[in-house]
Amino acid sequence: MMRQPSLTATASFQALETHAIEAEDWQLRGLFGADPQRFASMSLEAAGLFLDYSKNRLDRRTLELLVELAQELGLEAQREAMFAGEKINLTERRAVLHTALRAPRESALCVDGQDVAADVHAVLDRIRVFSDAVRSGAWLGYSGKPITDIVNIGIGGSDLGPKMACLALRQYSHPRLAMHFVSNVDGHDLDATLAQVNPETTLFIVASKTFTTSETMLNANSARAWFLAHAQAAHLARHFVAVSTNTEAISAFGIDPANMFPFWDWVGGRYSVWSAIGLPIALSIGFGYFQDFLAGAHAMDLHFRQAPLEANMPVLLALIGFWNRQFLGCTSLSIAPYHRDLSRFPAYLQQLEMESNGKRVTRGGLPVEVPTCPVVWGDCGTNGQHAYFQLLHQGTDLTPIDFIACLRPAHELEKHHAALLANCFAQSEAFMLGKGSDEVRRELQAQGLSLAEIERLAPHKTFPGNRPSNTILMEYLTPFTLGALIALYEHKTFVQGVIWGVNSFDQWGVELGKALATKIESELTGEAHPELHDSSTNGLIAMAKAAV
């Protein structure tokens, strides 16, 4: 892969530093007042999505400089390297080909002599046959009854993606099938799920590429023991399937290898929802809609690969995010979906962005010279309005917001959707405009308050405004538009990784805690003598052992 120049040494970055000084005092009110065409020139459509980025503290020159920075850092060449299957995950020497998972069957791509497209569609064909059998009722449990509950056991990307998508697309779900997701090693998670299901009609999906992931296998083995308390070992194959590549381990568990759905080492966990990890989605909404989900992502792939950078939705979203992080000092990004069914989308993006770009060294192993990924967080918009939006409006930190909404609802309840969109659009306007002290004083005066009372209240009712935001709209939340939305943020994450010079596709920071947990667990269970830890950890271990 090409050697990337130092970010801060580039001419475009240095030009941006000078430009940022000029932009320090910009007010969004003034930017809109000076440019009547700002909304039209700072919005675009792609793959069924509409992005309005006009409420950001930047101008056309800012965008020109940001695009020049992306070009100077070799974004276009690195983008092509990813799509071509080059091993851009340098620390693990792997290709990064989640885009191949949603490419059409006729796509031609070979990696290390292997026909990737053929492999992908062979697995998709197996998913189609299996999901059709379960959904039609042809797949029966050990007592001859059709499946009514599906429990996905995974963690990280093997949980967050399918859980988020199944909830988002619940309008398309099969009326007989209830979806459940277990990821936490906290036994309360599995216990609560098992209390809701019947062993005769429950299908478990164990999602672990190696079939050795500690959290997943602890839950899987507990689910297996629960099942065998009601049935026989010979029945396991009708109630457990695996998303894995470890044939020997799944066979020993009692799963029929014919019901093993593999994926590949070039599929990172947080990019895996398009692979066999998406089996719960296909079971819930049906394979036809699952294909639409893949098609929406592929449509965004084509746009990302083909559109010029200055009119490229993922690129613009990434560059604006970089501007906010680097030059406005924004340490977090709030995601505000104004759609109840997207309630898990902020959590999904937390992993996608923070696990990808929460790095402090470059691909070459040198310290990153600038701040990298902001903290990503959020909740459904109207819930947030009555909780943390107070901080966003009047707090001391500047926090950009991505508003996400649908123009049309999937329900027929009167007045609800107009109220929802009114809140979404009003909040983005309020964050941009704010409310000045003079305006507050006039309002209080009109209420007949005394001068002393006006002066007492005015500081508390003043909003600084000038808060940046994006608004992403779609007509309906469908499998296609959800696929496009996820792919939009995937490519945004890739672009920002290129800008910061980090490897967006490894996650070594996850491993340290796991290794230490394994040691401490053996000490808690008495399988090993306690090691010397710090006094806090020793004290906590002692308390836990005393409570047993």
Side-chain angles (χ1 to χ4, degrees), residues 86-381:
E86 294 184 25
K87 293 185 170 77
I88 65 170
N89 179 351
L90 298 178
T91 61
E92 297 177 299
R93 294 186 173 87
R94 292 175 178 172
V96 176
L97 280 173
H98 48 281
T99 55
L101 296 168
R102 57 248 192 165
R105 189 181 294 269
E106 61 273 14
S107 301
L109 179 63
C110 288
V111 174
D112 295 332
Q114 188 67 27
D115 186 341
V116 168
D119 289 347
V120 166
H121 284 274
V123 174
L124 286 174
D125 288 342
R126 293 174 62 183
I127 291 173
R128 175 182 54 79
V129 171
F130 181 73
S131 60
D132 286 351
V134 173
R135 288 170 57 82
S136 70
W139 182 279
L140 301 176
Y142 69 87
S143 64
K145 298 176 182 177
I147 298 299
T148 60
D149 292 87
I150 296 169
V151 180
N152 186 81
I153 300 176
I155 197 164
S158 301
D159 170 76
L160 285 167
K163 179 192 295 182
M164 177 274 295
C166 285
L167 175 57
L169 301 175
R170 66 178 181 85
Q171 295 284 346
Y172 298 83
S173 63
H174 194 292
R176 191 186 73 247
L177 297 175
M179 309 302 296
H180 310 269
F181 295 87
V182 174
S183 62
N184 203 323
V185 302
D186 181 353
H188 298 98
D189 192 5
L190 180 62
D191 181 66
T193 299
L194 295 179
Q196 301 174 56
V197 300
N198 181 341
E200 295 180 67
T201 58
T202 299
L203 176 72
F204 293 91
I205 302 170
V206 183
S208 171
K209 185 185 297 183
T210 61
F211 221 69
T212 59
T213 308
S214 59
E215 300 93 337
T216 299
M217 295 316 301
L218 177 59
N219 281 323
N221 282 308
S222 294
R224 183 181 187 274
W226 171 85
F227 178 80
L228 290 177
H230 301 87
Q232 300 173 18
H235 299 146
L236 284 165
R238 301 300 298 174
H239 293 269
F240 284 81
V241 301
V243 179
S244 180
T245 55
N246 191 338
T247 304
E248 183 178 353
I250 69 147
S251 298
F253 187 93
I255 295 173
D256 186 343
N259 299 320
M260 180 181 78
F261 301 89
F263 58 115
W264 306 272
D265 64 5
W266 41 258
V267 181
R270 56 194 174 277
Y271 299 90
S272 64
V273 70
W274 323 100
S275 71
I277 291 295
L279 177 62
I281 308 170
L283 286 163
S284 178
I285 68 175
F287 189 75
Y289 282 130
F290 186 69
Q291 285 183 306
D292 290 346
F293 177 63
L294 301 179
H298 180 63
M300 185 57 72
D301 293 343
L302 293 177
H303 168 75
F304 174 56
R305 195 174 188 182
Q306 298 170 358
L309 300 188
E310 64 274 11
N312 192 304
M313 190 178 289
V315 172
L316 288 170
L317 200 62
L319 294 177
I320 291 166
F322 170 75
W323 167 261
N324 290 338
R325 181 73 175 103
Q326 178 66 36
F327 298 107
L328 300 187
C330 301
T331 59
S332 74
L333 168 66
S334 186
I335 307 297
Y338 276 72
H339 197 306
R340 179 263 183 192
D341 293 346
L342 286 173
S343 60
R344 297 300 300 167
F345 193 61
Y348 179 79
L349 292 186
Q350 279 182 340
Q351 186 195 28
L352 174 63
E353 297 201 29
M354 294 170 69
E355 195 168 88
S356 294
N357 290 335
K359 310 288 171 61
R360 59 185 298 275
V361 297
T362 66
R363 290 190 295 271
L366 300 175
V368 179
E369 304 165 289
V370 300
T372 57
C373 187
V375 173
V376 179
W377 59 283
D379 194 4
C380 288

Side-chain angles (χ1 to χ4, degrees), residues 487-540:
L488 167 65
Y489 279 92
E490 286 181 344
H491 295 317
K492 171 207 168 182
T493 300
F494 168 77
V495 172
Q496 290 186 332
V498 170
I499 300 298
W500 288 315
V502 301
N503 179 5
S504 299
F505 304 103
D506 61 12
Q507 55 279 332
W508 300 108
V510 176
E511 303 303 322
L512 175 60
K514 284 185 175 183
L516 293 175
T518 299
K519 292 180 181 179
I520 293 175
E521 183 179 358
S522 65
E523 294 166 15
L524 288 172
T525 58
E527 297 172 12
H529 293 294
E531 293 188 1
L532 287 177
H533 300 279
D534 60 273
S535 60
S536 170
T537 305
N538 283 333
L540 296 172

